[in-house]
Amino acid sequence: MTSGRSTTRMPVPPIAVRIAVIEALSATLRRFALEPADGAVLAPAAPGAHILVALDDGGGTVRRNAYSLIEPPDRLNRYEIIVRHAEASRGGSAYLHKRAGVGDILRVLPPQSAFPPVASARQHVMVSAGIGITPFLFYRRAFETTGGSWELHQCCRPDEATAFAGLADLDTEQRVHIHAGRGAFDLDAVLCRQPLGTHLYCCGPAGFMAAVRDRATALGWPPSRLHEERFGDTTAGTPFTAWLGRSRREITVGAHESLLEALETAGLEVPFLCRGGVCGACRVGVTEGGIDHRDRVLTEGERTAGDTLLACISRAAGSRLVLDL
Ligand code: FES
């Protein structure tokens, strides 16, 4: 399993953007177009890039929610994202669905991509579920330019099939396939007909991605040709405390926040990129305490050693960790 680029990024100043468009796609899906508030020209972004939107969780805590771009920002000088209103929202999607309006100013961190398509791939197969389609909408635009060979399989609820078909812009070459409802997608058939040199990209809920990964592995796909992007509340768990050994401070990590978020709230600067456990940028040393590893970066040897974790997604296995910070 590959995890995209390993470039690290220290926190950078956010930029102000104005909500230019809000479009309801379904009962729980909205498309947002964000323009630079100062009229500046947005820098290009790589396919698979996401932005981090700073949003108040309603309790005074500012969180950074990651949203994949669905279009190259230089096309219309906009960041375009799709947001699903999650029932368990900590404020991010609830704020954008219920309180945000056209003209409002948001603060975002510029796009970075930890999930780019592989340039040398002979064929690109994208498999997504629900809002997991978003990075592949950008991929598709890129393939129009590069001429890459591709197909996209989107699994969704029947009541959202029309919305996703509209987003994916069904093409005459039948490379876009919308699979509505349980049992509608024959994954084995798709995986078995691909030529050598095909790369498989998957984005969706954790269980969906695990099922695709397991099936591809069982059918002989090498890990180097499998790529995943995580999204959603993959950081939830039991609250715990972290003692920062070098700075002699203790922080509390809540049930619905990541260790990285808790460290940022405490004013510590920890490098990050994907915030989804796939790039390795937020590696932190651990000197004491069991770890619940949830990333897709560390080797089995590193997990067994137990002296490092990825702060954006992994947690304490018990009630306390001691960190080398
Ligand atoms: S920021 Fe990418 S693994 Fe944590």
Side-chain angles (χ1 to χ4, degrees), residues 8 260 270-273 277 279-284 309-313:
T8 60
L260 177 61
V270 178
F272 64 84
L273 177 58
C279 76
C282 62
R283 185 183 290 247
V284 169
L309 61 65
L310 295 178
C312 70
I313 197 160

Side-chain angles (χ1 to χ4, degrees), residues 96-164:
L96 288 171
H97 270 255
K98 294 184 174 175
R99 291 166 54 196
V102 171
D104 286 359
I105 300 294
L106 301 175
R107 303 193 74 77
V108 306
L109 292 182
Q112 291 286 330
S113 178
F115 189 52
V118 176
S120 60
R122 182 175 174 194
Q123 157 92 339
H124 306 274
V125 175
M126 298 163 277
V127 175
S128 50
I131 201 170
I133 193 175
T134 49
F136 301 141
L137 299 176
F138 194 157
Y139 274 33
R140 181 189 167 151
R141 290 277 178 251
F143 295 149
E144 286 172 0
T145 303
T146 61
S149 175
W150 60 274
E151 59 187 72
L152 167 61
H153 296 268
Q154 164 70 359
C155 302
C156 63
R157 303 183 329 218
D159 62 309
E160 292 189 333
T162 302
F164 285 120

Side-chain angles (χ1 to χ4, degrees), residues 282-313:
C282 62
R283 185 183 290 247
V284 169
V286 177
T287 56
E288 197 179 313
I291 304 168
D292 174 10
H293 290 290
R294 300 180 178 187
D295 65 275
R296 307 211 62 78
V297 174
L298 298 183
T299 64
E300 278 311 311
E302 289 172 317
R303 291 170 197 269
T304 303
D307 57 3
T308 188
L309 61 65
L310 295 178
C312 70
I313 197 160

